[in-house]
Amino acid sequence: MFVKLRMTANPFTVDPDATLPEAMELMERHHIRHLPVLKDGAVVGVLSQGDIDAAGPSRATTFSSGEINYLLHKLKVSKVMTQDPRVIAPDALLEEAALAMRDNKIEMLPVVDNGRLVGVITESAILDSFMDLLGFRDRGTRLWIEATDAVGVLSNISGIMARHGANIIHLAVFRGEAQEQVTVVVGVNTLNTDELEADIADNGFRVVHRLRNSG
C-alpha cells in the first residue's frame, strides 16, 4: 500500500513567523498534534505538541502567569519547531513510512512531491491501515491457524477454505522465535466455521484462536 492512499491531503500548516499561541490555537481548534511549517511553499519544520511542551516554562518557574503569557506570545514557531524534518514521497510504501517513524520516534511525516507538501501521514493512519489489512472491522471470522513452516502450507489451507465455500478476504503469516512454526491468520466471509475448523484439524493444522464479527 502506498503512502498517498492513506495520507491526509491538504493538511493544516503554519508559517515559521507565526507566534506559538497562534499555532496552538490552530492545533486545538482542529484537534491535531502536529503542524508542518512552510516557508515559501517548502517544508522547513514540523511543530508537535512535544515541541510546545518542551518550550513551556518549568513547573519550578518563578514567573507569574501574566509573564508566562507575555513570553509565549513573543515566541515564534521557528524557535520551537523541529527543523529540517524527515519527509516521505507519496509513492513510498506505507511500510517505509512506518519504519521511518518507528526508527526516528516521530508520530507524523510530511508527504512531499517535487518539493511541494501534498499531505501528512500519521501513526493513526498507519494503525488504521494495519487494522484494515487484517480485517478487524469486516464481517466474518478470523482464524489463527498454527502450522509448520513448509512449502505448500498456504495452498493446503486455501484448498480447505475452497472446499467449504469460504472466501478468503484477509491473509497474514506471522513467524515467531520458533522458525519451524508459523501462525497463519485467515479472514473468511462466513460466521459459521465449525465444519471448516474440523476439516482444518483433520489436515494436521491447529486453530489456536477465533474471532467472529457479525457487524
Side-chain angles (χ1 to χ4, degrees):
M1 189 179 297
F2 298 106
V3 167
K4 62 186 175 184
L5 300 177
R6 286 291 180 170
M7 71 181 188
T8 299
N10 304 313
F12 295 103
T13 63
V14 68
D15 190 275
D17 290 327
T19 65
L20 195 55
E22 289 173 332
M24 291 167 63
E25 192 277 331
L26 180 64
M27 294 167 73
E28 183 177 351
R29 182 171 9 119
H30 297 287
H31 308 289
I32 51 180
R33 290 180 52 83
H34 305 83
L35 282 172
V37 184
L38 298 189
K39 185 176 179 62
D40 299 326
V43 178
V44 295
V46 166
L47 181 69
S48 70
Q49 186 61 51
D51 295 324
I52 294 172
D53 293 341
S58 165
R59 293 183 179 180
T61 182
T62 59
F63 290 144
S64 68
S65 60
E67 290 171 322
I68 292 172
N69 287 333
Y70 174 79
L71 292 173
L72 288 177
H73 276 79
K74 301 290 285 185
L75 196 57
K76 302 290 188 182
V77 167
S78 59
K79 299 296 184 182
V80 179
M81 69 183 189
T82 298
Q83 300 185 35
D84 301 318
R86 183 177 291 270
V87 301
I88 198 162
D91 290 326
L93 294 173
L94 205 60
E95 298 95 305
E96 294 178 88
L99 189 61
M101 294 164 72
R102 182 68 179 88
D103 287 351
N104 294 278
K105 296 180 174 59
I106 51 181
E107 298 176 349
M108 181 272 281
L109 286 172
V111 184
V112 174
D113 188 21
N114 293 321
R116 183 175 66 89
L117 180 73
V118 294
V120 296
I121 187 76
T122 65
E123 277 188 334
S124 294
I126 290 176
L127 286 173
D128 283 342
S129 299
F130 174 74
M131 289 189 288
D132 289 346
L133 284 171
L134 291 182
F136 281 102
R137 297 188 178 98
D138 292 347
R139 187 180 188 279
T141 305
R142 289 165 55 234
L143 300 174
W144 279 255
I145 304 170
E146 193 175 81
T148 301
D149 190 3
V151 175
V153 165
L154 289 182
S155 177
N156 290 340
I157 292 175
S158 63
I160 296 170
M161 303 295 171
R163 286 201 298 271
H164 291 269
N167 184 32
I168 297 175
I169 53 178
H170 299 281
L171 179 66
V173 178
F174 295 93
R175 286 176 170 82
E177 294 181 0
Q179 295 298 316
E180 69 277 4
Q181 291 291 115
V182 295
T183 300
V184 181
V185 182
V186 183
V188 293
N189 65 337
T190 181
L191 294 174
N192 185 358
T193 59
D194 293 343
E195 293 183 3
L196 174 61
E197 291 182 48
D199 201 354
I200 290 172
D202 288 343
N203 280 269
F205 304 112
R206 189 166 73 96
V207 177
V208 296
H209 189 64
R210 175 199 316 108
L211 181 64
R212 291 189 174 111
N213 181 10
S214 59

Short mmCIF file of all heavy atoms in Angstrom, two decimals, residues 99-148:
data_model
loop_
_atom_site.label_atom_id
_atom_site.label_comp_id
_atom_site.label_asym_id
_atom_site.label_seq_id
_atom_site.Cartn_x
_atom_site.Cartn_y
_atom_site.Cartn_z
N LEU A 99 8.43 2.41 9.18
CA LEU A 99 9.79 2.16 9.63
C LEU A 99 10.50 3.46 9.99
O LEU A 99 11.19 3.54 11.02
CB LEU A 99 10.56 1.41 8.54
CG LEU A 99 11.95 0.88 8.92
CD1 LEU A 99 11.83 -0.13 10.05
CD2 LEU A 99 12.62 0.25 7.71
N ALA A 100 10.33 4.49 9.14
CA ALA A 100 10.97 5.79 9.41
C ALA A 100 10.44 6.40 10.69
O ALA A 100 11.20 6.95 11.50
CB ALA A 100 10.74 6.73 8.23
N MET A 101 9.15 6.30 10.92
CA MET A 101 8.55 6.87 12.12
C MET A 101 8.97 6.11 13.37
O MET A 101 9.28 6.70 14.41
CB MET A 101 7.03 6.88 11.97
CG MET A 101 6.54 7.82 10.87
SD MET A 101 4.83 7.54 10.36
CE MET A 101 3.94 8.15 11.77
N ARG A 102 9.03 4.78 13.24
CA ARG A 102 9.43 3.96 14.40
C ARG A 102 10.89 4.17 14.76
O ARG A 102 11.25 4.35 15.92
CB ARG A 102 9.18 2.48 14.08
CG ARG A 102 9.50 1.53 15.24
CD ARG A 102 8.52 1.73 16.38
NE ARG A 102 8.81 0.82 17.49
CZ ARG A 102 9.66 1.09 18.47
NH1 ARG A 102 10.31 2.25 18.47
NH2 ARG A 102 9.85 0.24 19.45
N ASP A 103 11.75 4.17 13.74
CA ASP A 103 13.20 4.30 13.99
C ASP A 103 13.58 5.68 14.50
O ASP A 103 14.56 5.82 15.25
CB ASP A 103 13.98 4.00 12.71
CG ASP A 103 13.99 2.52 12.37
OD1 ASP A 103 13.55 1.72 13.21
OD2 ASP A 103 14.43 2.17 11.26
N ASN A 104 12.81 6.70 14.09
CA ASN A 104 13.15 8.07 14.48
C ASN A 104 12.24 8.62 15.58
O ASN A 104 12.33 9.79 15.93
CB ASN A 104 13.08 8.99 13.25
CG ASN A 104 14.15 8.65 12.22
OD1 ASN A 104 15.29 9.07 12.34
ND2 ASN A 104 13.78 7.88 11.21
N LYS A 105 11.36 7.74 16.09
CA LYS A 105 10.47 8.11 17.21
C LYS A 105 9.67 9.38 16.92
O LYS A 105 9.64 10.32 17.71
CB LYS A 105 11.28 8.27 18.50
CG LYS A 105 11.94 6.97 18.97
CD LYS A 105 12.73 7.18 20.25
CE LYS A 105 13.26 5.86 20.79
NZ LYS A 105 14.16 5.16 19.84
N ILE A 106 9.04 9.41 15.75
CA ILE A 106 8.19 10.53 15.36
C ILE A 106 6.79 10.02 15.03
O ILE A 106 6.61 8.85 14.68
CB ILE A 106 8.77 11.32 14.17
CG1 ILE A 106 9.13 10.37 13.01
CG2 ILE A 106 9.99 12.11 14.60
CD1 ILE A 106 9.72 11.06 11.82
N GLU A 107 5.81 10.89 15.15
CA GLU A 107 4.41 10.48 15.00
C GLU A 107 3.80 10.93 13.69
O GLU A 107 2.68 10.54 13.37
CB GLU A 107 3.58 11.06 16.16
CG GLU A 107 4.02 10.57 17.54
CD GLU A 107 3.24 11.24 18.64
OE1 GLU A 107 2.52 12.22 18.37
OE2 GLU A 107 3.35 10.79 19.80
N MET A 108 4.52 11.75 12.92
CA MET A 108 3.96 12.25 11.67
C MET A 108 5.08 12.55 10.68
O MET A 108 6.15 13.01 11.07
CB MET A 108 3.15 13.52 11.93
CG MET A 108 2.49 14.12 10.68
SD MET A 108 3.56 15.29 9.80
CE MET A 108 3.36 16.75 10.81
N LEU A 109 4.82 12.28 9.41
CA LEU A 109 5.76 12.62 8.34
C LEU A 109 5.06 13.51 7.32
O LEU A 109 3.97 13.16 6.83
CB LEU A 109 6.24 11.35 7.62
CG LEU A 109 7.23 10.44 8.33
CD1 LEU A 109 7.41 9.16 7.53
CD2 LEU A 109 8.57 11.14 8.53
N PRO A 110 5.65 14.66 6.98
CA PRO A 110 5.12 15.42 5.84
C PRO A 110 5.33 14.61 4.56
O PRO A 110 6.37 13.97 4.37
CB PRO A 110 5.98 16.69 5.84
CG PRO A 110 6.56 16.77 7.22
CD PRO A 110 6.75 15.35 7.65
N VAL A 111 4.34 14.64 3.69
CA VAL A 111 4.44 13.95 2.40
C VAL A 111 4.73 15.01 1.33
O VAL A 111 3.93 15.92 1.13
CB VAL A 111 3.14 13.19 2.08
CG1 VAL A 111 3.30 12.41 0.77
CG2 VAL A 111 2.77 12.25 3.22
N VAL A 112 5.88 14.87 0.68
CA VAL A 112 6.37 15.91 -0.24
C VAL A 112 6.55 15.32 -1.62
O VAL A 112 7.18 14.26 -1.79
CB VAL A 112 7.70 16.50 0.28
CG1 VAL A 112 8.28 17.47 -0.73
CG2 VAL A 112 7.48 17.18 1.62
N ASP A 113 6.02 16.01 -2.62
CA ASP A 113 6.14 15.59 -4.02
C ASP A 113 6.75 16.73 -4.82
O ASP A 113 6.16 17.82 -4.92
CB ASP A 113 4.77 15.22 -4.58
CG ASP A 113 4.84 14.60 -5.96
OD1 ASP A 113 5.92 14.08 -6.33
OD2 ASP A 113 3.82 14.63 -6.69
N ASN A 114 7.94 16.52 -5.36
CA ASN A 114 8.65 17.55 -6.12
C ASN A 114 8.79 18.85 -5.32
O ASN A 114 8.58 19.95 -5.86
CB ASN A 114 7.94 17.82 -7.45
CG ASN A 114 8.02 16.64 -8.40
OD1 ASN A 114 9.03 15.96 -8.48
ND2 ASN A 114 6.92 16.37 -9.10
N GLY A 115 9.12 18.72 -4.05
CA GLY A 115 9.34 19.89 -3.21
C GLY A 115 8.09 20.52 -2.66
O GLY A 115 8.18 21.51 -1.91
N ARG A 116 6.93 19.99 -2.99
CA ARG A 116 5.66 20.58 -2.55
C ARG A 116 4.95 19.65 -1.56
O ARG A 116 4.85 18.45 -1.78
CB ARG A 116 4.75 20.83 -3.77
CG ARG A 116 3.43 21.52 -3.45
CD ARG A 116 2.68 21.82 -4.74
NE ARG A 116 2.28 20.60 -5.41
CZ ARG A 116 1.13 19.95 -5.21
NH1 ARG A 116 0.26 20.43 -4.31
NH2 ARG A 116 0.85 18.86 -5.88
N LEU A 117 4.47 20.24 -0.47
CA LEU A 117 3.73 19.47 0.52
C LEU A 117 2.38 19.06 -0.05
O LEU A 117 1.60 19.91 -0.48
CB LEU A 117 3.52 20.29 1.79
CG LEU A 117 2.76 19.59 2.92
CD1 LEU A 117 3.63 18.53 3.58
CD2 LEU A 117 2.28 20.61 3.96
N VAL A 118 2.10 17.76 -0.05
CA VAL A 118 0.82 17.27 -0.58
C VAL A 118 -0.01 16.58 0.49
O VAL A 118 -1.18 16.25 0.26
CB VAL A 118 1.03 16.32 -1.77
CG1 VAL A 118 1.64 17.07 -2.95
CG2 VAL A 118 1.90 15.13 -1.38
N GLY A 119 0.59 16.34 1.66
CA GLY A 119 -0.16 15.67 2.71
C GLY A 119 0.70 15.36 3.91
O GLY A 119 1.87 15.75 3.97
N VAL A 120 0.12 14.66 4.87
CA VAL A 120 0.87 14.14 6.02
C VAL A 120 0.41 12.71 6.26
O VAL A 120 -0.74 12.36 5.99
CB VAL A 120 0.66 14.98 7.30
CG1 VAL A 120 1.21 16.39 7.11
CG2 VAL A 120 -0.80 15.03 7.71
N ILE A 121 1.31 11.90 6.76
CA ILE A 121 0.97 10.54 7.16
C ILE A 121 1.26 10.41 8.64
O ILE A 121 2.33 10.80 9.11
CB ILE A 121 1.73 9.47 6.33
CG1 ILE A 121 1.23 8.06 6.65
CG2 ILE A 121 3.23 9.58 6.51
CD1 ILE A 121 -0.10 7.74 6.01
N THR A 122 0.31 9.90 9.40
CA THR A 122 0.42 9.85 10.85
C THR A 122 0.41 8.42 11.36
O THR A 122 0.05 7.48 10.65
CB THR A 122 -0.75 10.61 11.51
OG1 THR A 122 -1.97 9.92 11.20
CG2 THR A 122 -0.83 12.04 11.02
N GLU A 123 0.79 8.27 12.62
CA GLU A 123 0.72 6.96 13.28
C GLU A 123 -0.70 6.41 13.24
O GLU A 123 -0.91 5.22 13.03
CB GLU A 123 1.17 7.08 14.73
CG GLU A 123 2.66 7.04 14.94
CD GLU A 123 3.02 6.98 16.41
OE1 GLU A 123 2.23 7.44 17.25
OE2 GLU A 123 4.11 6.47 16.72
N SER A 124 -1.68 7.26 13.44
CA SER A 124 -3.07 6.81 13.45
C SER A 124 -3.46 6.22 12.09
O SER A 124 -4.16 5.20 12.03
CB SER A 124 -4.01 7.97 13.80
OG SER A 124 -3.80 8.41 15.12
N ALA A 125 -3.01 6.86 11.01
CA ALA A 125 -3.32 6.36 9.68
C ALA A 125 -2.69 5.00 9.44
O ALA A 125 -3.30 4.11 8.82
CB ALA A 125 -2.84 7.36 8.62
N ILE A 126 -1.48 4.81 9.94
CA ILE A 126 -0.80 3.52 9.77
C ILE A 126 -1.49 2.44 10.60
O ILE A 126 -1.66 1.31 10.15
CB ILE A 126 0.69 3.67 10.14
CG1 ILE A 126 1.39 4.51 9.06
CG2 ILE A 126 1.36 2.30 10.28
CD1 ILE A 126 2.83 4.81 9.33
N LEU A 127 -1.92 2.77 11.82
CA LEU A 127 -2.65 1.81 12.64
C LEU A 127 -3.97 1.43 11.99
O LEU A 127 -4.38 0.26 12.01
CB LEU A 127 -2.89 2.38 14.04
CG LEU A 127 -1.67 2.44 14.95
CD1 LEU A 127 -2.00 3.19 16.24
CD2 LEU A 127 -1.18 1.04 15.29
N ASP A 128 -4.67 2.41 11.40
CA ASP A 128 -5.92 2.12 10.70
C ASP A 128 -5.67 1.18 9.53
O ASP A 128 -6.47 0.27 9.26
CB ASP A 128 -6.56 3.42 10.20
CG ASP A 128 -7.25 4.20 11.30
OD1 ASP A 128 -7.53 3.62 12.36
OD2 ASP A 128 -7.48 5.41 11.11
N SER A 129 -4.56 1.40 8.81
CA SER A 129 -4.21 0.54 7.68
C SER A 129 -3.95 -0.88 8.14
O SER A 129 -4.36 -1.85 7.50
CB SER A 129 -2.97 1.09 6.96
OG SER A 129 -3.22 2.38 6.47
N PHE A 130 -3.25 -1.02 9.27
CA PHE A 130 -2.97 -2.34 9.84
C PHE A 130 -4.26 -3.05 10.17
O PHE A 130 -4.43 -4.25 9.86
CB PHE A 130 -2.10 -2.16 11.08
CG PHE A 130 -1.86 -3.44 11.85
CD1 PHE A 130 -0.98 -4.40 11.38
CD2 PHE A 130 -2.51 -3.66 13.05
CE1 PHE A 130 -0.77 -5.58 12.09
CE2 PHE A 130 -2.30 -4.83 13.77
CZ PHE A 130 -1.42 -5.80 13.28
N MET A 131 -5.21 -2.34 10.77
CA MET A 131 -6.49 -2.96 11.13
C MET A 131 -7.27 -3.35 9.89
O MET A 131 -7.92 -4.40 9.86
CB MET A 131 -7.30 -2.02 12.01
CG MET A 131 -6.73 -1.87 13.41
SD MET A 131 -7.80 -0.97 14.56
CE MET A 131 -7.65 0.70 13.92
N ASP A 132 -7.20 -2.52 8.83
CA ASP A 132 -7.91 -2.84 7.59
C ASP A 132 -7.29 -4.06 6.91
O ASP A 132 -8.00 -4.91 6.37
CB ASP A 132 -7.87 -1.64 6.64
CG ASP A 132 -8.76 -0.51 7.11
OD1 ASP A 132 -9.60 -0.74 8.01
OD2 ASP A 132 -8.62 0.61 6.60
N LEU A 133 -5.96 -4.13 6.91
CA LEU A 133 -5.28 -5.26 6.27
C LEU A 133 -5.64 -6.58 6.92
O LEU A 133 -5.75 -7.61 6.26
CB LEU A 133 -3.76 -5.05 6.32
CG LEU A 133 -3.18 -4.03 5.33
CD1 LEU A 133 -1.71 -3.77 5.66
CD2 LEU A 133 -3.32 -4.53 3.89
N LEU A 134 -5.82 -6.56 8.23
CA LEU A 134 -6.17 -7.79 8.96
C LEU A 134 -7.68 -7.97 9.11
O LEU A 134 -8.13 -8.97 9.67
CB LEU A 134 -5.50 -7.79 10.33
CG LEU A 134 -3.97 -7.93 10.31
CD1 LEU A 134 -3.43 -7.98 11.73
CD2 LEU A 134 -3.55 -9.19 9.56
N GLY A 135 -8.45 -7.00 8.63
CA GLY A 135 -9.90 -7.16 8.63
C GLY A 135 -10.58 -7.08 9.97
O GLY A 135 -11.59 -7.75 10.21
N PHE A 136 -10.04 -6.27 10.87
CA PHE A 136 -10.62 -6.17 12.21
C PHE A 136 -12.08 -5.73 12.19
O PHE A 136 -12.86 -6.12 13.04
CB PHE A 136 -9.81 -5.19 13.07
CG PHE A 136 -8.55 -5.78 13.63
CD1 PHE A 136 -7.33 -5.49 13.08
CD2 PHE A 136 -8.60 -6.64 14.72
CE1 PHE A 136 -6.16 -6.03 13.58
CE2 PHE A 136 -7.44 -7.18 15.24
CZ PHE A 136 -6.21 -6.88 14.67
N ARG A 137 -12.44 -4.91 11.21
CA ARG A 137 -13.80 -4.34 11.19
C ARG A 137 -14.73 -5.07 10.22
O ARG A 137 -15.90 -4.74 10.14
CB ARG A 137 -13.73 -2.86 10.83
CG ARG A 137 -12.97 -1.99 11.83
CD ARG A 137 -13.13 -0.52 11.47
NE ARG A 137 -12.46 0.36 12.41
CZ ARG A 137 -11.26 0.89 12.22
NH1 ARG A 137 -10.60 0.62 11.11
NH2 ARG A 137 -10.72 1.70 13.10
N ASP A 138 -14.21 -6.01 9.47
CA ASP A 138 -15.02 -6.66 8.44
C ASP A 138 -15.87 -7.78 9.01
O ASP A 138 -15.46 -8.49 9.94
CB ASP A 138 -14.12 -7.24 7.34
CG ASP A 138 -13.42 -6.16 6.54
OD1 ASP A 138 -13.82 -4.98 6.67
OD2 ASP A 138 -12.47 -6.48 5.80
N ARG A 139 -17.04 -7.95 8.43
CA ARG A 139 -17.93 -9.02 8.86
C ARG A 139 -17.33 -10.36 8.44
O ARG A 139 -16.85 -10.52 7.32
CB ARG A 139 -19.31 -8.86 8.24
CG ARG A 139 -20.35 -9.84 8.76
CD ARG A 139 -21.70 -9.62 8.11
NE ARG A 139 -22.74 -10.42 8.72
CZ ARG A 139 -22.97 -11.70 8.46
NH1 ARG A 139 -22.22 -12.31 7.55
NH2 ARG A 139 -23.92 -12.36 9.07
N GLY A 140 -17.38 -11.32 9.34
CA GLY A 140 -16.86 -12.64 9.04
C GLY A 140 -16.10 -13.20 10.22
O GLY A 140 -16.30 -12.77 11.37
N THR A 141 -15.21 -14.15 9.95
CA THR A 141 -14.46 -14.82 11.01
C THR A 141 -12.98 -14.80 10.67
O THR A 141 -12.59 -15.02 9.53
CB THR A 141 -14.91 -16.29 11.17
OG1 THR A 141 -16.32 -16.33 11.39
CG2 THR A 141 -14.19 -16.95 12.33
N ARG A 142 -12.17 -14.52 11.68
CA ARG A 142 -10.73 -14.59 11.53
C ARG A 142 -10.21 -15.76 12.36
O ARG A 142 -10.52 -15.86 13.55
CB ARG A 142 -10.07 -13.28 11.95
CG ARG A 142 -10.36 -12.16 10.97
CD ARG A 142 -10.05 -10.78 11.48
NE ARG A 142 -8.68 -10.66 11.94
CZ ARG A 142 -8.35 -10.24 13.15
NH1 ARG A 142 -9.29 -9.92 14.00
NH2 ARG A 142 -7.10 -10.12 13.50
N LEU A 143 -9.45 -16.62 11.72
CA LEU A 143 -8.91 -17.81 12.37
C LEU A 143 -7.39 -17.72 12.45
O LEU A 143 -6.73 -17.39 11.46
CB LEU A 143 -9.29 -19.08 11.58
CG LEU A 143 -10.78 -19.36 11.41
CD1 LEU A 143 -10.97 -20.55 10.49
CD2 LEU A 143 -11.45 -19.60 12.76
N TRP A 144 -6.85 -17.98 13.64
CA TRP A 144 -5.40 -18.09 13.83
C TRP A 144 -5.05 -19.58 13.74
O TRP A 144 -5.46 -20.37 14.60
CB TRP A 144 -4.99 -17.53 15.19
CG TRP A 144 -4.88 -16.05 15.25
CD1 TRP A 144 -3.74 -15.31 15.27
CD2 TRP A 144 -5.96 -15.10 15.33
NE1 TRP A 144 -4.02 -13.96 15.36
CE2 TRP A 144 -5.39 -13.81 15.39
CE3 TRP A 144 -7.35 -15.23 15.35
CZ2 TRP A 144 -6.14 -12.65 15.48
CZ3 TRP A 144 -8.12 -14.08 15.42
CH2 TRP A 144 -7.51 -12.82 15.49
N ILE A 145 -4.31 -19.95 12.71
CA ILE A 145 -4.01 -21.36 12.45
C ILE A 145 -2.52 -21.61 12.62
O ILE A 145 -1.69 -20.97 11.96
CB ILE A 145 -4.44 -21.75 11.02
CG1 ILE A 145 -5.93 -21.44 10.82
CG2 ILE A 145 -4.14 -23.23 10.76
CD1 ILE A 145 -6.39 -21.57 9.38
N GLU A 146 -2.18 -22.51 13.52
CA GLU A 146 -0.79 -22.87 13.74
C GLU A 146 -0.39 -23.95 12.74
O GLU A 146 -1.09 -24.96 12.58
CB GLU A 146 -0.60 -23.37 15.16
CG GLU A 146 0.85 -23.47 15.60
CD GLU A 146 0.96 -23.85 17.07
OE1 GLU A 146 0.84 -25.06 17.36
OE2 GLU A 146 1.13 -22.95 17.91
N ALA A 147 0.74 -23.72 12.05
CA ALA A 147 1.14 -24.66 11.01
C ALA A 147 2.66 -24.77 10.97
O ALA A 147 3.38 -23.92 11.49
CB ALA A 147 0.60 -24.21 9.65
N THR A 148 3.13 -25.83 10.31
CA THR A 148 4.55 -25.99 10.07
C THR A 148 4.97 -25.06 8.94
O THR A 148 4.24 -24.89 7.96
CB THR A 148 4.88 -27.44 9.68
OG1 THR A 148 4.46 -28.31 10.73
CG2 THR A 148 6.37 -27.62 9.44
#
